[in-house]
């Protein structure tokens, strides 16, 4: 058996010990956040993208599904076989609330002020209420939230609500695979039901839990595969093989995504994405290679939630300040312009995220530990 941070993480002994961490998963959270940041630097700031990097605006939005897979995997690591009593369930929901809510509520206040100053917009009370109670994803017209990019947080909170039920039913690799199949069916039927729907319903279709449930299911399945392989002699080789398969799959996906979409539809493309991303997460869990998993990527992975929530606002502020325009005007070519714009974004974002993490998020973590199951005291 191997251990991470001094704690056994193998088999049915997995519990709610806060020291149980797979460094590969933590680093992957940073990669997911970085993908989304670059995706929005292009989308929000309208930065010209060099042809060599055209896959970024086309595919880096999948950083959100990558977050979902990591999230489901990590939840299984932390809570497998530990959600059987009322006390444990209460602790789970208490912990999840304080993981998400403190920073999110701060961002609600920030955006309330920002939207008024920048656009003269006063956020409606009903929009504030739906975000306050994390129900905006189930309300058409509210699904995006008024905190920019917060739709994915709403999806995450809805998954938290059903996670204990999933753990009750999914107890081994076979059942996890069945869960993946059922979730793919749900996702496909959900998307089919919106064929011909009016344009204003597109966001409700895409930002719903039903449209993303297969990514969470993939994370659960990968957890059970990891649990079966962890501690075996072949574990490092299996990890490298999974990462290699994922990278090859990503290249093929970039090449054939449009053909899959045209021939088989968005549900098929989303299923392929789940397979590719899931293989990467599994590989990083089995063999966190030092080149990709190190002190820097782990540290930034710890701040990924802050990176995610702060990045649209900072991109908007940099855009308003003319930073991107100045870089594009002085850069010798499109590639250097893009790289410098990305660098400027991360220079502003990383210190902000670290400050946010060490003040708001860690306060929430301390609050979450105040209530523990009797067995853990």
């Amino acid at each position: 058996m191997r251990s991470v941070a001094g704690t056994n993480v193998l088999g049915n002994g997995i519990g709610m010990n806060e020291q149980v961490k797979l460094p590969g998963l933590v680093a992957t959270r940073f990669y997911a956040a970085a993908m989304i940041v670059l995706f929005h630097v292009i989308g929000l700031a309208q930065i010209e993208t060099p042809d060599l990097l055209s896959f970024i605006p086309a595919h880096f939005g999948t950083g959100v599904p990558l977050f979902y897979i990591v999230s489901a995997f990590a939840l299984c690591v932390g809570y497998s076989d530990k959600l059987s009593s009322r006390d444990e369930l209460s602790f789970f929901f208490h912990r999840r609330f304080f993981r998400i809510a403190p920073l999110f509520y701060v961002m609600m206040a920030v955006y309330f002020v920002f939207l008024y100053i920048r656009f003269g917009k006063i956020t409606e009370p009903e929009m504030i209420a739906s975000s306050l109670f994390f129900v905006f994803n189930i309300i058409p017209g509210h699904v995006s939230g008024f905190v920019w990019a917060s739709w994915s947080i709403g999806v995450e909170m809805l998954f938290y609500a059903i996670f204990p039920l999933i753990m009750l039913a999914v107890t081994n690799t076979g059942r996890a695979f069945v869960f993946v199949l059922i979730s793919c069916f749900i996702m496909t039927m959900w998307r089919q039901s919106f064929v011909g729907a009016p344009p204003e319903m597109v966001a409700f279709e895409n930002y719903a839990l039903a449209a993303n449930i297969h990514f969470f299911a993939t994370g659960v399945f990968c957890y059970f595969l990891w649990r079966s392989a962890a501690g075996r002699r072949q574990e490092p080789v299996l990890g490298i093989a999974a990462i290699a398969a994922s990278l090859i799959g990503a290249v093929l996906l970039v090449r054939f995504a449009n053909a899959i979409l045209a021939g088989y539809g968005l549900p098929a493309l989303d299923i392929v994405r789940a397979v590719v991303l899931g293989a990467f997460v599994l590989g990083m869990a089995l063999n966190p290679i030092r080149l990709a998993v190190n002190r820097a990527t782990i540290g930034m992975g710890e701040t990924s939630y802050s990176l995610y929530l702060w990045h649209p606002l900072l991109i908007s502020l940099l855009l308003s300040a003319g930073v991107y325009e100045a870089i594009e005007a002085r850069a010798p070519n499109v590639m250097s312009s893009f790289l410098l714009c990305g660098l400027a974004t991360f220079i502003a974002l990383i210190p902000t995220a670290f400050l946010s993490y060490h003040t708001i998020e860690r306060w929430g973590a301390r609050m979450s530990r105040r209530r523990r199951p009797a067995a853990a005291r």
Side-chain angles (χ1 to χ4, degrees), residues 99-121:
R99 174 69 181 92
I100 298 296
L103 179 57
F104 187 75
Y105 289 162
V106 168
M107 297 307 298
M108 285 178 63
V110 169
Y111 271 95
F112 183 87
V113 175
F114 169 73
L115 292 174
Y116 178 75
I117 294 175
R118 182 74 174 82
F119 304 105
K121 177 180 173 59

Side-chain angles (χ1 to χ4, degrees), residues 18 23 27 34 47 64 73 82 85 113 117 191 199 227 230 234 246 252 262 265 269 279 325 331-332 361 367 375:
E18 293 160 22
I47 301 300
V64 171
F73 192 125
K82 295 293 181 179
S85 71
V113 175
I117 294 175
R191 292 203 176 277
R227 197 167 75 167
Q234 305 90 340
S246 173
L252 294 174
L269 181 59
E325 183 179 2
E361 289 194 66
M367 293 296 294

Side-chain angles (χ1 to χ4, degrees), residues 46-349:
Q46 296 295 297
I47 301 300
E48 187 176 358
T49 310
D51 292 339
L52 186 63
L53 301 179
S54 61
F55 61 88
I56 293 178
H59 296 283
F60 269 30
T62 54
V64 171
L66 182 56
F67 261 128
Y68 291 157
I69 295 172
V70 172
S71 176
F73 192 125
L75 285 175
C76 290
V77 171
Y79 296 97
S80 179
D81 303 319
K82 295 293 181 179
L83 294 172
S84 58
S85 71
R86 182 175 180 178
D87 201 26
E88 288 172 340
L89 285 171
S90 177
F91 173 69
F92 169 77
F93 288 119
H94 176 84
R95 185 111 190 258
R96 291 301 91 200
F97 177 82
F98 279 100
R99 174 69 181 92
I100 298 296
L103 179 57
F104 187 75
Y105 289 162
V106 168
M107 297 307 298
M108 285 178 63
V110 169
Y111 271 95
F112 183 87
V113 175
F114 169 73
L115 292 174
Y116 178 75
I117 294 175
R118 182 74 174 82
F119 304 105
K121 177 180 173 59
I122 298 178
T123 305
E124 301 86 352
E126 57 269 24
M127 181 68 78
I128 295 173
S130 65
S131 292
L132 188 67
F133 294 105
F134 296 102
V135 295
F136 52 96
N137 277 91
I138 61 176
I139 304 174
H142 289 205
V143 67
S144 298
F146 77 93
V147 174
W148 291 355
S150 66
W151 69 269
S152 63
I153 308 303
V155 172
E156 186 84 23
M157 292 296 274
L158 292 176
F159 179 71
Y160 290 165
I162 64 172
F163 179 74
L165 295 176
I166 293 170
M167 285 292 93
L168 185 65
V170 180
T171 54
N172 55 50
T173 307
R175 290 190 175 194
F177 183 67
V178 172
F179 177 41
V180 170
L181 295 179
I182 292 172
S183 68
C184 288
F185 175 78
I186 291 171
M187 179 271 294
T188 302
M189 292 299 99
W190 174 263
R191 292 203 176 277
Q192 287 294 328
S193 69
F194 282 87
V195 172
E200 59 267 22
M201 293 299 291
V202 171
F204 186 67
E205 173 193 354
N206 292 329
Y207 297 165
L209 175 60
N212 295 278
I213 187 65
H214 61 297
F215 294 118
F216 291 105
T218 299
V220 174
F221 181 58
C222 288
Y223 160 75
F224 281 101
L225 291 177
W226 165 79
R227 197 167 75 167
S228 299
R232 294 185 178 182
R233 186 177 58 185
Q234 305 90 340
E235 181 182 356
V237 176
L238 292 173
I240 290 294
I243 293 173
S246 173
L247 296 178
I248 293 170
V251 172
L252 294 174
L253 184 59
V254 169
R255 175 66 179 82
F256 296 107
N258 290 335
I260 295 172
L261 185 62
Y264 302 97
L266 184 55
L269 181 59
D270 261 1
I271 291 170
V272 174
R273 285 170 172 164
V275 173
V276 171
L277 296 174
F280 183 76
V281 171
L282 178 61
M284 291 288 275
L286 288 170
N287 190 356
I289 53 179
R290 186 168 297 180
L291 181 65
V293 182
N294 49 60
R295 182 174 296 180
T297 57
I298 291 172
M300 288 186 283
E302 293 283 2
T303 70
S304 60
Y305 181 39
S306 287
L307 284 170
Y308 180 79
L309 277 187
W310 282 102
H311 86 271
L313 178 62
L314 289 181
I315 290 173
S316 177
L317 293 175
L318 291 173
L319 180 62
S320 299
V323 172
Y324 297 128
E325 183 179 2
I327 290 173
E328 289 186 299
R330 291 167 174 78
N333 53 57
V334 174
M335 177 63 79
S336 60
S337 171
F338 173 78
L339 294 177
L340 288 171
C341 286
L343 179 62
T345 304
F346 280 106
I347 288 174
L349 179 59

